[in-house]
C-alpha cells in the first residue's frame, strides 16, 4: 500500500516538475476564446440530391467590402456553408488607392484555404452597371479581368456578352434595389428581356441580404429562371446577422445537387433545383419547396385515441417531427385538427385530428411560392 502511494506521489511530483519547467509565465485564458467549431446545418437529402448551403454574392476589400478574402472562408466554415463565391464589382473599386486592382485576386488568395476547409469556392464576378439595368452576377467564369470595360451604359451588352462568352451562369441581382430612388427601375425592362430571349439570363436574385424582392420572384417563376438568394455581404456576417442567436442564419441558396462539387452545383443551378432560405422563410418554385418540406417533416402513426364524453367524437394524437434546421409555420385550411403548428428546427410537436381522416391540409405561411402565395401541404394521417 505504501509502495503504491509512493508511486502516485512520484507521478504527481513529476507532473508538477514538468509544468514548472514548461511554465512561461503566461496564464492562458482559453475559456474566453470563441470555440473552434463548425455548425452543422441539418437539411435532409431531397429526392436523392444533397442540399448544399450556398452564398453566391459576397464582397471583400478587393472592391467595396471590409474584410480580407480568408475571413469569408472562415465565416462560411463556422456557419456550415458548403459553397461561396466572391463577386467583386468589375467597374467599382473604391479601395484602389490601398489595394491593387486585380479582379481575380480575392478568389486566388482564398483557393487553398477553401480546399483545406472543404468549401467549394466558385469563381465569379459582379457586372456593375447603372440602374436600370443594374447589376448581374456571373458564376463559373475563367478570368474576371477579361470582363472589364468602361462603366458606360452603352456597354451593358458588351459586358454581358463577355461573361456569356466565358460560359458563365448569369443572374440578375436585387432588381428592386433602387425602386424608390429611380422610378421605373423595378420593372422587367427591354434589356433584361433581350438577355432572356438570347438565353443569357439564367436566374434572378429574389432575396438580397434582408430584403425579399417580391416582383423578382414572380418574374423568375413565370420565365422558369433559377431562384437565387444571397447576402451581398460587405461587412462581417456577424455584423449584419445576429448569428449568436439560436436559429439565425445568413440568407442563402439551398442547392439540390448530385454531389458537393462546382460541377454538381452548376448542373443544379441550370436545372433550377434551388430554394432560398432567409430568416424563417423559404422562397422557390412550388415543386422544389414541396419536396424540401416533404423531406424535412415526418408524422408518426396515431399513438393515442381520446373520445369526447359528450359528442362521442374520437380524436387521434400524432407526433409531427421537423428533421431539419428549417422553420415551418402551418395554418389549417382543410380538415378537423390542430389549427396551427409551429415546427421549430429539429423539434417535435403534438398534432391532434378527428379520427377517420386520411389527411389534413395546411398552408405553410413561412414559405413563398409566389409573392402572394404560400405552399399548401397535406399531412397524411394514414
Amino acid at each position: 500500500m505504501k509502495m503504491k502511494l509512493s508511486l502516485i506521489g512520484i507521478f504527481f511530483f513529476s507532473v508538477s516538475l514538468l509544468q514548472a519547467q514548461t511554465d512561461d509565465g503566461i496564464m492562458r485564458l482559453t475559456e474566453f476564446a470563441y470555440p473552434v467549431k463548425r455548425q452543422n446545418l441539418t437539411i435532409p437529402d431531397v429526392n436523392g440530391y444533397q442540399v448544399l448551403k450556398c452564398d453566391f454574392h459576397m464582397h471583400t476589400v478587393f472592391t467595396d467590402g471590409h474584410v480580407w478574402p480568408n475571413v469569408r472562408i472562415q465565416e462560411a466554415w463556422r456557419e456550415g456553408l458548403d459553397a461561396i463565391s466572391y463577386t467583386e464589382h468589375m467597374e467599382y473599386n473604391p479601395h484602389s488607392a490601398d489595394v491593387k486592382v486585380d479582379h481575380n485576386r480575392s478568389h486566388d488568395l482564398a483557393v487553398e484555404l477553401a480546399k483545406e476547409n472543404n468549401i467549394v469556392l466558385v469563381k465569379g464576378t459582379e457586372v456593375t452597371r447603372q440602374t436600370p439595368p443594374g447589376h448581374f452576377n456571373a458564376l463559373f467564369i475563367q478570368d474576371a479581368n477579361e470582363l472589364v470595360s468602361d462603366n458606360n451604359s452603352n456597354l451593358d451588352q458588351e459586358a454581358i456578352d463577355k461573361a456569356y462568352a466565358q460560359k458563365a451562369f448569369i443572374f440578375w441581382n436585387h432588381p428592386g434595389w433602387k425602386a424608390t430612388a429611380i422610378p421605373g427601375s423595378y420593372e422587367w425592362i427591354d434589356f433584361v428581356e433581350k438577355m432572356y430571349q438570347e438565353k443569357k439570363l439564367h436566374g434572378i436574385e429574389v432575396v438580397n441580404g434582408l430584403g425579399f424582392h417580391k416582383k423578382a420572384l414572380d418574374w423568375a417563376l413565370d420565365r422558369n429562371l433559377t431562384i437565387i438568394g444571397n447576402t451581398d455581404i460587405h461587412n462581417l456576417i456577424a455584423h449584419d446577422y445576429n448569428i449568436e442567436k439560436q436559429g439565425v442564419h445568413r440568407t442563402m441558396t439551398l442547392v439540390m445537387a448530385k454531389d458537393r462539387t462546382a460541377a454538381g452545383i452548376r448542373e443544379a443551378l441550370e436545372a433550377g433545383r434551388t430554394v432560398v432560405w432567409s430568416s424563417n422563410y423559404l422562397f422557390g418554385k412550388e415543386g422544389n419547396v414541396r419536396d424540401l418540406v416533404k423531406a424535412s417533416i415526418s408524422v408518426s402513426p396515431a399513438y393515442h385515441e381520446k373520445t369526447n364524453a359528450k359528442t362521442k367524437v374520437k380524436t387521434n394524437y400524432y407526433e409531427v417531427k421537423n428533421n431539419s434546421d428549417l422553420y415551418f409555420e402551418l395554418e389549417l385550411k382543410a380538415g378537423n385538427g390542430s389549427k396551427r403548428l409551429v415546427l421549430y428546427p429539429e423539434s417535435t410537436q403534438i398534432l391532434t385530428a378527428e379520427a377517420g381522416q386520411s389527411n389534413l391540409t395546411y398552408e405553410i405561411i413561412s414559405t413563398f411560392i409566389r409573392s402572394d402565395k404560400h405552399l399548401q401541404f397535406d399531412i397524411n394521417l394514414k
Side-chain angles (χ1 to χ4, degrees), residues 120-229:
V120 179
L121 185 60
V122 175
K123 194 165 188 176
T125 192
E126 182 168 7
V127 176
T128 309
R129 294 299 179 185
Q130 299 298 320
T131 302
H135 301 182
F136 299 88
N137 271 5
L139 305 181
F140 308 101
I141 61 172
Q142 285 81 52
D143 185 351
N145 289 320
E146 290 185 359
L147 304 180
V148 178
S149 58
D150 294 335
N151 190 10
N152 183 311
S153 60
N154 294 326
L155 298 176
D156 291 335
Q157 189 64 54
E158 178 185 334
I160 294 301
D161 289 346
K162 284 183 176 182
Y164 184 74
Q166 290 196 19
K167 303 186 186 318
F169 179 92
I170 303 171
F171 61 88
W172 189 11
N173 293 343
H174 44 62
W177 175 40
K178 292 190 175 182
T180 55
I182 304 177
S185 64
Y186 192 12
E187 300 296 339
W188 186 264
I189 60 175
D190 291 342
F191 181 84
V192 176
E193 175 64 19
K194 184 174 184 292
M195 285 181 63
Y196 172 67
Q197 292 296 335
E198 294 177 348
K199 302 189 184 304
K200 294 176 181 176
L201 181 66
H202 310 119
I204 305 180
E205 188 179 64
V206 304
V207 182
N208 175 272
L210 305 176
F212 167 34
H213 296 235
K214 294 182 177 181
K215 288 197 287 188
L217 176 60
D218 294 340
W219 292 338
L221 292 167
D222 292 340
R223 293 164 176 83
N224 196 30
L225 294 168
T226 300
I227 293 167
I228 307 286

Side-chain angles (χ1 to χ4, degrees), residues 33-325:
Y34 194 97
V36 179
K37 63 177 182 177
R38 175 173 165 86
Q39 182 179 8
N40 293 324
L41 293 181
T42 302
I43 302 177
D45 290 353
V46 175
N47 297 329
Y49 295 111
Q50 299 178 44
V51 180
L52 304 182
K53 285 74 69 178
C54 309
D55 188 349
F56 299 124
H57 191 170
M58 311 172 73
H59 297 278
T60 75
V61 294
F62 283 86
T63 46
D64 58 344
H66 306 311
V67 306
W68 198 253
N70 69 324
V71 174
R72 295 288 181 232
I73 300 293
Q74 294 166 350
E75 290 175 325
W77 183 82
R78 284 186 181 276
E79 295 172 54
L81 269 70
D82 300 298
I84 63 173
S85 181
Y86 303 139
T87 51
E88 310 288 12
H89 298 288
M90 295 304 305
E91 298 82 12
Y92 179 54
N93 301 280
H95 304 324
S96 59
D98 303 295
V99 180
K100 179 182 176 182
V101 176
D102 179 344
H103 301 291
N104 295 312
R105 191 60 176 155
S106 58
H107 179 275
D108 293 347
L109 282 170
V111 165
E112 287 305 314
L113 186 61
K115 292 177 181 177
E116 292 169 6
N117 286 271
N118 199 23
I119 300 293
V120 179
L121 185 60
V122 175
K123 194 165 188 176
T125 192
E126 182 168 7
V127 176
T128 309
R129 294 299 179 185
Q130 299 298 320
T131 302
H135 301 182
F136 299 88
N137 271 5
L139 305 181
F140 308 101
I141 61 172
Q142 285 81 52
D143 185 351
N145 289 320
E146 290 185 359
L147 304 180
V148 178
S149 58
D150 294 335
N151 190 10
N152 183 311
S153 60
N154 294 326
L155 298 176
D156 291 335
Q157 189 64 54
E158 178 185 334
I160 294 301
D161 289 346
K162 284 183 176 182
Y164 184 74
Q166 290 196 19
K167 303 186 186 318
F169 179 92
I170 303 171
F171 61 88
W172 189 11
N173 293 343
H174 44 62
W177 175 40
K178 292 190 175 182
T180 55
I182 304 177
S185 64
Y186 192 12
E187 300 296 339
W188 186 264
I189 60 175
D190 291 342
F191 181 84
V192 176
E193 175 64 19
K194 184 174 184 292
M195 285 181 63
Y196 172 67
Q197 292 296 335
E198 294 177 348
K199 302 189 184 304
K200 294 176 181 176
L201 181 66
H202 310 119
I204 305 180
E205 188 179 64
V206 304
V207 182
N208 175 272
L210 305 176
F212 167 34
H213 296 235
K214 294 182 177 181
K215 288 197 287 188
L217 176 60
D218 294 340
W219 292 338
L221 292 167
D222 292 340
R223 293 164 176 83
N224 196 30
L225 294 168
T226 300
I227 293 167
I228 307 286
N230 305 299
T231 57
D232 191 5
I233 194 71
H234 289 68
N235 213 317
L236 292 167
I237 286 288
H239 182 274
D240 289 2
Y241 293 84
N242 186 13
I243 57 175
E244 295 301 316
K245 183 178 179 181
Q246 186 175 6
V248 174
H249 311 286
R250 69 168 77 188
T251 297
M252 65 185 76
T253 305
L254 301 179
V255 178
M256 303 171 203
K258 293 177 180 178
D259 53 46
R260 197 172 183 272
T261 64
I265 291 169
R266 172 147 202 171
E267 187 277 331
L269 290 176
E270 290 177 346
R273 293 194 304 273
T274 64
V275 173
V276 173
W277 182 20
S278 186
S279 185
N280 288 331
Y281 297 95
L282 296 173
F283 310 82
K285 297 174 182 177
E286 181 174 358
N288 290 339
V289 176
R290 186 181 305 282
D291 288 345
L292 183 60
V293 172
K294 188 176 180 180
S296 300
I297 295 177
S298 61
V299 184
S300 74
Y303 63 85
H304 177 62
E305 184 176 271
K306 183 177 181 179
T307 303
N308 186 296
K310 292 184 177 180
T311 64
K312 306 303 180 184
V313 172
K314 295 180 179 180
T315 299
N316 287 337
Y317 286 68
Y318 306 82
E319 285 188 336
V320 182
K321 184 179 293 185
N322 180 1
N323 302 296
S324 74
D325 275 319

